[in-house]
Amino acid sequence: MTAPGTGRGIGNGERAAEITTTFVGLPRDSFRILHVSTGNVCRSPITERLTRHFVTERLGVLGGGLIVESAGTWGHEGAPMEANAETVLADFGADAAGFTGRELLDEHVIRADLVLTATRDHRAQVISMGHSAGLRTFTLKEFTRLVNAIDPATLPSLDEGVVTRARALVRAAAALRGWLLAPTAEADEVYDPYGAPLPFFRSVGDEIHQALDPVVTALTGVPTRA
């Protein structure tokens, strides 16, 4: 899906204010990760379901208040995941069942504790929606680079809960953002495989996996199983 995204969502201030009022008062016992791409049928579904799968591999269950979602800046509301994306997930043993595409809305950004985007353009679109999203919105590869520079010993232990550890991780990454720049602009991009053959989808899946692995390790405190 290479059509330019618009970060479409609730277009008037009154409705956005209503949503803000609704969600600001939620109890802080959960941590929402929102993956964002363009159509929400290729990259962000792969990233969403791989995140769930890799967390479950490490912890035995996806829980502890961790919620993983996705949406698209030009999202195909209700659309199924691309067949090649499902195949990529199957390669990793991850579950693609029940997925439907979503258009990115203000409420998704408001509720998210961490937004991970496929590209810098998606990141800019999320931030332009407002809701103080700047400090919690990164490209996936940008976040990986920052996470790799964080000493795990400085993070809360898993005994304090995944939510507490995840919030500390985001704060630490945001503090490092201005110091650890990408070597090239392309280094922070995951390119769109929409319409490409399966081998390209698999290369994108491998790219997402390599970026997610240190992030999930930092979130859970558990390294990849041998």
Side-chain angles (χ1 to χ4, degrees):
M1 309 301 302
T2 54
T6 61
R8 295 178 299 165
I10 295 150
N12 65 68
E14 182 177 323
R15 176 63 176 143
E18 177 186 333
I19 289 174
T20 301
T21 301
T22 302
F23 291 112
V24 162
L26 284 176
R28 296 287 289 165
D29 57 356
S30 63
F31 185 91
R32 288 180 179 267
I33 301 173
L34 176 65
H35 293 292
V36 175
S37 62
T38 303
N40 195 216
V41 292
C42 298
R43 289 168 292 183
S44 51
I46 291 173
T47 314
E48 173 199 319
R49 293 306 176 94
L50 284 183
T51 302
R52 294 184 185 183
H53 178 67
F54 295 144
V55 169
T56 302
E57 276 191 330
R58 287 162 168 79
L59 298 182
V61 64
L62 179 61
L66 189 63
I67 300 166
V68 186
E69 304 173 307
S70 65
T73 57
W74 198 267
H76 286 199
E77 190 74 29
M81 190 186 309
E82 282 291 298
N84 283 343
E86 291 190 5
T87 299
V88 167
L89 289 174
D91 290 343
F92 288 101
D95 186 9
F99 180 87
T100 55
R102 300 194 307 175
E103 180 182 6
L104 181 66
L105 301 177
D106 289 79
E107 63 190 83
H108 302 144
V109 177
I110 290 167
R111 297 176 69 174
D113 297 285
L114 172 63
V115 183
L116 296 176
T117 69
T119 69
R120 292 168 299 148
D121 182 57
H122 296 131
R123 181 185 64 194
Q125 290 172 51
V126 171
I127 293 172
S128 73
M129 294 172 72
H131 316 303
S132 303
L135 290 178
R136 50 195 168 91
T137 302
F138 309 80
T139 74
L140 171 61
K141 289 186 174 181
E142 174 191 21
F143 194 66
T144 301
R145 184 175 67 254
L146 298 172
V147 163
N148 282 333
I150 296 169
D151 181 356
T154 65
L155 298 173
S157 71
L158 202 58
D159 290 340
E160 298 179 60
V162 175
V163 170
T164 298
R165 186 179 177 94
R167 290 182 190 145
L169 183 67
V170 173
R171 289 194 299 269
L176 287 173
R177 196 201 306 255
W179 298 93
L180 292 175
L181 302 179
T184 65
E186 291 73 23
D188 282 344
E189 306 280 293
V190 176
Y191 290 106
D192 194 349
Y194 182 72
L198 181 57
F200 188 73
F201 266 84
R202 283 184 162 138
S203 71
V204 168
D206 288 340
E207 196 175 348
I208 290 171
H209 169 228
Q210 290 171 22
L212 273 179
D213 183 70
V215 171
V216 175
T217 296
L219 279 172
T220 63
V222 181
T224 306
R225 293 177 181 174

